Amino acid sequence: MSSDIERRELFKIAAATAFAAKFGASQEQQRFFTPQEFAVVDELAEIIIPADDHSPGARAAGAAAYIDARLAESQEADQKELWRKGVQLVNQASLQMHGMAFLETAPAQRTSIVERMAQNEEEPKSPEEMFFKELKRATVNAYYTSKIGIHQEMEYKGNVLLNQFVGTELP
Amino acid sequence: MPAPAERDVDLKRTYDAVIVGSGAAGGMAAHVLTSHGMQVLLLEAGKKLDIEKELKSMEWPYEHARRGGLPPDSHALSRNEYTFRKPPYAKGLPNKHVYSYVEGWTGADYSKNIVVDEKDNPYTGTNYAWVRARCLGGKTNIWGRLALRLSDYDFKAASRDGYGEDWPISYTDIAPYYDKVDLYLGVAGHRENLPYLPDSLFQRSTRLNTAEVKLRESLAGMGRVLTPYRAGVTTDGLKHNKYRSRCFGRGACDRHTGGCDIHAAFDSPTGLIYPAMDTGNLTLRTNSTVYEVLVDNNTGKARGVAFVDSRTGKNYEAKAKVVVLGASTLESARLMLLSKSRLHPNGIGNSSGHVGHNFCEHIMGPSVTGLVKELVGKPRTLDDGRPAGFYVPRFRNLAGRQSNFIRAYGFEGDSGTHMFPGHAASTPGFGAAYKKKVRDYAGAFIGMGAFGEVLPRYENYVDIDADVKDRWGIPVLRFNYHFGDNEKKMAADMADTAREMFEAAGIEIIGVDRDTLPEGWSIHELGTARMGNDPKTSVLNQFQQSHDVPNLLVVDGSSHVSASCQNPTWTIMALCWRSCDHLADRVQKGEV
């Protein structure tokens, strides 16, 4: 009954989000990161949850902008420091591995940097491994609570009015 | 349907009864006493919320600036803070507001006005995660909704295993009142005919999904039961209640702290208090923190209560023929201990010295998560349009003692997709393969965690810490409470049997958590003013009436003699109904 309407709604959402990303609407509202830092976090988020043939990724979902807004209003100095230092660590790793800043590297090189950061995900020890854990936590939280994450990627069917419960009726 | 208009409070008159607290217990007392024609004053320490505006049950995460999270000036206590720090937990924290751990769950911003600010409401002593809700309806605004009955396996547990005391009632005494609660408030469930978990008068049950049916069938082969979550939710509607809608299976009930804005899930205001106000017999005063039960120094009987207006700080007295405490297990104990007078030097109703003692609850923590492989990569299903998933009733120590501990535990669990894929953070890796894995596995997990009976022990108690006061200058509670050896052995068994049941069902084990959660985590505190036949070892008689003070009733969980392993809300309300019927009968006969 409502699936057509829903599909049209989703199309509108997708179109609007794509527009916003293209014209950098979210970047205009950034408050914590510098433009350079924002671009690094935006790229890192997209590497963690990329666009694929199923749905758009973290960039289209505005994950970096959401992270930026939370950090801007955060009262936890440790948290802010972790992100500021974290972006520096990514650039340092990039210089060490590829001889140039993170955003100047080729896509495969960027992935290799994230691979190095992610190698001890279960028990992170080095500062860059600790930063990856936080980066992934924040990206996952931002992406899967976004319109794209809930509706397009996960195709969530709930939060609707049901006349009957779904599932098996017991005898 | 908007809330009915409030009547003016007349503090010059003597009400037939004054009730302290408006949760499951106080709300039920208001319903029953007003239905008998008594003129009742109900005092609630917290505020009256415009609850629909608070809850927004169907709001999407992305419609909320912080995706449901708390504002940056607020802090929710973490599990670690309850372990490594000592109460008062908010002391020394720089945040403007500090809340209990339940505010750390998703959707916390929707309930931050329901729970207390720990900064205003400190407590001291041993570690305890004390969750309090000070507002009209109390914790019923955010409860987990599991509505279970107790049986004689619980009421007569002491006779069965030799530990502690039997309750002064049997199942046959309370069964008619469980029926009344079922019919008046609505409960969804599936009949199982179990002597140790009696059926309610059920409305339409929620349904099990594929993984849950698989586990149910496997458990049946082990002589164990998995039944759809017995929810204190009206699934068919209630013709007699204009404030509550039937359940429409919306996904947001996953977000318990978000409450139910159509009130299909029971809450005390719409289920009990508003209908009681419609009788014309109930006067409600919120922002009224009672700090003393007042005593007639000639007779020793209660004559009313003293309270402070929590907004203005002004003090008042309310007069009543009967005082009914339903402030919660720990707040009612605090109030009794604070109410010292010449005739009641240890606190009102406390000649036995048992007020605050025999404090018990449920122990939680051990849990299992499993993967149902055949569901990986399957098309999306709708699994969270229901109050919760399933319940596995107790199976230990049913036919005599079969384990290295006494009493029992049950499991709550569910499976399938949720609005937020909880496994995304714990799925290793990144990139396209990671994203696909999160997507493919979203509906294939099943998990359950145990709730076990903590034995009542005299040594586990709360008392008054006169050196520390709350925001209104009222001395606070001090905890002296620890899990014991029986609980630790039980917790180890919970983890073992959780694994055993999933393995038997062919569910791949993803993880077994053997750790217990901090004391208090279940939010099922009980026992601090227990009932009994002997006034030397109990505080209340079988009608929740003080042995010492005949016109004082304590109708909340503090009256429970033991915790059983079933969630207590339905029993609190059935017992309260029975006691208030008895009280009204005595009033009519002129005995009070």
Side-chain angles (χ1 to χ4, degrees), chain B residues 49-69:
Chain B
L49 297 168
D50 189 346
I51 201 75
E52 282 79 14
K53 282 192 182 151
E54 296 285 330
L55 296 177
K56 302 188 192 100
S57 299
M58 294 192 79
E59 185 169 88
W60 292 101
Y62 50 78
E63 291 172 332
H64 184 284
R66 298 181 187 88
R67 310 271 163 101

Side-chain angles (χ1 to χ4, degrees), chain A residues 22-170:
Chain A
K22 195 172 177 183
F23 291 90
S26 52
Q27 284 226 34
E28 283 169 20
Q29 292 164 13
Q30 69 183 71
R31 289 173 293 174
F32 174 75
F33 294 124
T34 65
Q36 285 286 337
E37 288 169 337
F38 185 92
V40 171
V41 172
D42 193 41
E43 178 65 12
L44 288 168
E46 182 68 11
I47 289 170
I48 291 172
I49 306 179
D52 60 7
D53 57 8
H54 183 77
S55 75
R59 174 168 291 135
Y66 180 72
I67 293 166
D68 182 60
R70 296 289 69 71
L71 287 169
E73 67 174 12
S74 173
Q75 296 181 358
E76 290 175 42
D78 293 356
Q79 182 83 344
K80 295 185 176 201
E81 182 76 3
L82 177 65
W83 281 87
R84 196 130 267 154
K85 282 259 168 69
V87 175
Q88 286 172 17
L89 288 169
V90 172
N91 274 320
Q92 281 166 17
S94 181
L95 281 170
Q96 205 179 69
M97 292 170 73
H98 307 297
M100 54 189 130
F102 179 71
L103 288 175
E104 291 163 13
T105 56
Q109 292 173 317
R110 291 177 193 180
T111 304
S112 70
I113 294 163
V114 178
E115 263 164 13
R116 189 174 104 169
M117 294 166 65
Q119 61 190 342
N120 279 318
E121 197 182 339
E122 301 275 313
E123 282 179 72
K125 290 185 183 73
S126 72
E128 71 181 43
E129 289 167 1
M130 305 279 274
F131 177 58
F132 176 78
K133 193 179 167 75
E134 171 63 8
L135 175 71
K136 180 168 166 183
R137 182 203 64 75
T139 304
V140 160
N141 186 46
Y143 182 75
Y144 291 106
T145 56
S146 71
K147 280 181 188 171
I148 286 172
I150 292 172
H151 301 293
Q152 288 178 264
E153 170 59 15
M154 299 309 289
E155 299 168 86
Y156 177 67
K157 294 190 179 317
N159 206 28
V160 292
L161 299 184
L162 298 174
N163 277 317
Q164 181 52 276
F165 295 111
V166 180
T168 305
E169 190 168 16
L170 298 174

Side-chain angles (χ1 to χ4, degrees), chain B residues 262-285:
Chain B
I262 60 171
H263 313 291
F266 160 72
D267 57 64
S268 176
T270 61
L272 297 167
I273 294 170
Y274 297 168
M277 289 168 80
D278 288 336
T279 65
N281 297 331
L282 182 66
T283 304
L284 169 67
R285 194 183 197 282

Side-chain angles (χ1 to χ4, degrees), chain B residues 289-446:
Chain B
T289 305
V290 176
Y291 57 87
E292 188 177 356
V293 178
L294 300 169
V295 172
D296 181 324
N297 272 323
N298 296 315
T299 64
K301 285 164 78 172
R303 63 177 176 83
V305 296
F307 64 93
V308 56
D309 187 301
S310 61
R311 293 165 306 184
T312 65
K314 280 190 182 168
N315 294 292
Y316 299 92
E317 288 188 4
K319 296 188 278 291
K321 293 174 193 163
V322 179
V323 173
V324 180
L325 304 185
S328 81
T329 289
L330 294 172
E331 290 288 13
S332 288
R334 179 185 178 198
L335 185 49
M336 292 171 83
L337 293 169
L338 283 170
S339 302
K340 288 183 181 179
S341 57
R342 186 175 52 81
L343 293 171
H344 306 291
N346 299 322
I348 195 164
N350 193 25
S351 67
S352 68
H354 276 258
V355 171
H357 291 262
N358 315 304
F359 174 19
C360 53
E361 56 158 348
H362 294 148
I363 184 168
M364 290 175 69
S367 64
V368 62
T369 307
L371 180 72
V372 181
K373 275 187 183 157
E374 59 267 32
L375 294 176
V376 174
K378 285 279 156 52
R380 286 285 153 266
T381 50
L382 201 175
D383 298 301
D384 61 355
R386 52 184 182 164
F390 61 82
Y391 185 68
V392 176
R394 61 174 292 182
F395 47 84
R396 284 294 191 229
N397 304 321
L398 284 171
R401 186 164 169 176
Q402 306 147 311
S403 47
N404 66 348
F405 57 89
I406 57 170
R407 310 293 163 94
Y409 54 86
F411 286 93
E412 292 181 31
D414 74 350
S415 83
T417 54
H418 298 264
M419 191 187 290
F420 184 83
H423 62 295
S426 55
T427 300
F430 65 91
Y434 162 79
K435 186 184 177 192
K436 184 173 189 306
K437 191 170 185 192
V438 170
R439 184 164 74 226
D440 285 348
Y441 280 65
F445 293 101
I446 179 167

